[in-house]
């Protein structure tokens, strides 16, 4: 259910919210309703074009993060003399830095108000660190600090788009952003296949080293371009006209029932941190998201799982691409439908359950065709995960300082799932990986149950809001949580 231009919510009993309508035209400053709609369409087109570079950045973000999985197939473990769980440690250490930096990064981003500078600067640093990946201790350090600076991007990007788009628009934009993550698994495998096949031994360097060099350099180049393309926040973006700036602010005020630029001082950020930390809903969704991240831990080991079908390394990497291309398409369709219907839970639960079916198939058979179908089903569970992130942004609409912390906190805590998930796929459990799949089934099921309980709670809050409106005699329906 989408919100009207006036709204009320549990956390902010604003007397200005939900007032009775008057004869005054709320769009008079834009020349009337039709003129506003035309201006709004132009503003959204302009925003969408500029925001699209976030998709490219996210592709590179995950390619840089996951290239160790592809490098593993071409001597990475042998050259670094990795033994036992050292490869898993190399993967998981990234998320330690990632977790530590998320909340401070988003608070700093909200305070600075210049994501067009902050996000690309972090991107250039992580591109450089990716290039420097070397021996085990060096690789361990570079991947720790890689997570430290990569932490700025995803929660920062989610927060940035939540400052520009209404709740009814947010799901589709979040899906498009997350498609960058999904497509990175497809393009990353294809790029890795080309580099690993064509660059082995060039200038005396192993193919996997060239993988880190080339992908890191590409990241730095795109970061330089992003500085001139990304928008800042509505109040700080220079390329907006004054009329567009007023409309951008008004849209967010109407959607949340209060202005979105009211808290930029340091005290506002401290208050936002406290509001987020004391809200049990934040922790509940953080745990639900963490359980789903563990269920998605197959992502970092996708080339390894593809290799269980018995093909050579080049074919194995190429076979990684189609499941994620399919998933990217389904993610857009499912998120778009979720936005149109205003429904979140079932758009999360159905793809997640499909992933469970994929895990079960992989447990039951080593048949090549069946296992490849299972990879499609597993990968498609990402489409539900995308809607889950949108639901988090929807459920904590204001104040902006709290929203910045919530997005970062949920994402940061969920990354503990990646730390644990790195150890879910030991080589000793291969090639069937039945124990690994069983863990994924359990955590995916936990996510569905927790999301359903969250849905019941939001439905209770909506009934409470409805009663309050009736008691006050309000005419228009105000803010409602999306279910």
């Amino acid at each position: 259910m989408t919100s009207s231009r006036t709204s009320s919510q549990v956390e902010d009993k604003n007397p200005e919210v939900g007032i009775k309508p008057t004869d005054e035209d709320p769009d008079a400053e834009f020349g009337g309703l039709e003129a506003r709609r035309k201006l709004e369409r132009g503003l959204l087109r302009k925003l969408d074009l500029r925001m699209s570079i976030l998709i490219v950045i996210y592709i590179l973000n995950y390619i840089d993060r996951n290239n160790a999985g592809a490098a593993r197939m071409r001597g990475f473990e042998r050259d670094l003399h990795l033994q036992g769980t050292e490869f898993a440690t190399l993967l998981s250490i990234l998320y330690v830095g990632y977790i530590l930096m998320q909340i401070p990064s988003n608070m700093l981003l909200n305070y600075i108000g210049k994501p067009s500078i902050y996000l690309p600067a972090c991107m250039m640093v992580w591109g450089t660190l990716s290039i420097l990946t070397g021996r085990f201790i060096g690789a361990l350090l570079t991947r720790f600090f890689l997570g430290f600076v990569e932490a700025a991007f995803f929660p920062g990007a989610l927060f940035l788009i939540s400052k520009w788009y209404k709740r009814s628009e947010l799901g589709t934009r979040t899906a498009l952003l997350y498609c960058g993550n999904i497509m990175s698994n497809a393009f990353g495998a294809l790029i890795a296949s080309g580099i690993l096949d064509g660059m082995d031994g060039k200038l005396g360097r192993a193919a996997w080293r060239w993988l880190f060099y080339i992908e890191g350099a590409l990241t730095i180049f795109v970061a330089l371009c992003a500085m001139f393309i990304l928008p800042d926040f509505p109040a700080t973006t220079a390329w907006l006209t004054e009329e567009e700036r007023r409309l951008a602010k008004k849209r967010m005020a109407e959607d949340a029932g209060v202005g979105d630029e009211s808290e930029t001082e340091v005290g506002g950020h401290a208050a936002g941190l406290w509001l987020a930390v004391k809200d049990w809903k934040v922790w509940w969704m953080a745990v639900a998201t963490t359980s789903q991240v563990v269920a998605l831990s197959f992502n970092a080991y996708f080339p390894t799982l593809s290799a269980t079908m018995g093909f050579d390394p080049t074919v194995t990497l190429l076979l990684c691409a189609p499941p994620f291309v399919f998933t990217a398409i389904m993610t857009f369709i499912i998120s778009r439908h979720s936005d149109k219907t205003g429904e979140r839970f079932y758009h999360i639960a159905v793809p997640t359950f499909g992933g469970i079916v994929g895990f079960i198939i992989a447990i039951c058979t080593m048949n090549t065709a069946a296992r490849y179908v299972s990879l499609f089903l597993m990968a498609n569970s990402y489409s539900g995960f995308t809607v889950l992130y949108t639901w988090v942004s929807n459920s904590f609409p204001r104040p902006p300082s709290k929203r910045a912390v919530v997005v970062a906190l949920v994402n940061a805590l969920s990354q503990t799932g990646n730390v644990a998930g790195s150890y879910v796929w030991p080589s000793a459990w291969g090639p069937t990986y039945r124990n690994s799949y069983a863990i994924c089934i359990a955590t995916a099921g936990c996510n569905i149950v927790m999301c359903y309980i969250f849905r019941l709670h939001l439905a209770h809050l909506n009934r409470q809001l409805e009663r309050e409106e009736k008691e006050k005699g309000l005419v228009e329906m105000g803010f409602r949580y999306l279910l």
Side-chain angles (χ1 to χ4, degrees), residues 83 170 199 346:
Q83 298 177 354
L170 200 57
M199 298 300 293
Y346 290 106

Side-chain angles (χ1 to χ4, degrees), residues 109-143:
L109 174 60
N110 191 36
Y111 180 69
I112 294 173
K114 286 287 184 180
S116 64
I117 302 297
Y118 181 74
L119 295 180
C122 291
M123 189 180 176
M124 282 190 279
V125 175
W126 91 56
T128 303
L129 289 172
S130 182
I131 292 172
L132 295 176
T133 302
R135 296 185 180 277
F136 176 65
I137 298 300
L140 206 62
L141 290 172
T142 54
R143 283 188 66 82

Side-chain angles (χ1 to χ4, degrees), residues 102-113:
Q102 294 228 344
I103 295 173
S105 176
N106 249 24
M107 293 176 70
L108 183 60
L109 174 60
N110 191 36
Y111 180 69
I112 294 173

Side-chain angles (χ1 to χ4, degrees), residues 106 110 155 158-165 170 252 256 260-261 272-273 275-276 392-409:
N106 249 24
N110 191 36
L158 285 179
F159 182 54
L160 174 59
I161 64 176
S162 75
K163 295 279 279 186
W164 286 97
Y165 295 104
L170 200 57
M252 302 313 297
D260 203 39
E261 300 292 341
L273 177 60
L275 286 171
V392 171
S393 295
N394 291 159
S395 302
F396 305 93
R398 69 156 311 275
S401 56
K402 177 182 177 180
R403 187 169 73 238
V405 174
V406 167
V407 171
L409 182 61

Side-chain angles (χ1 to χ4, degrees), residues 352-362 374 377-378 441:
T352 302
F353 182 76
I356 291 175
V357 173
F359 297 138
I360 293 172
I361 293 173
S374 75
L377 291 171
M378 291 179 215
I441 290 170

Side-chain angles (χ1 to χ4, degrees), residues 295-359:
L296 295 172
S297 60
F298 63 83
N299 174 50
Y301 292 86
F302 210 75
T304 299
L305 300 181
S306 179
T308 63
M309 293 185 290
F311 298 101
D312 65 66
T314 299
V315 174
T316 292
L317 287 172
L318 293 176
L319 287 174
C320 291
F324 286 105
V325 173
F326 169 76
T327 298
I329 295 169
M330 290 302 299
T331 296
F332 180 78
I333 293 172
I334 289 171
S335 297
R336 181 83 171 174
H337 188 262
S338 177
D339 270 359
K340 283 185 174 295
T341 59
E343 200 284 327
R344 298 298 189 221
F345 170 72
Y346 290 106
H347 289 81
I348 297 168
V350 173
T352 302
F353 182 76
I356 291 175
V357 173
F359 297 138

Side-chain angles (χ1 to χ4, degrees), residues 145 237 468:
F145 288 108
T237 296
E468 290 177 0

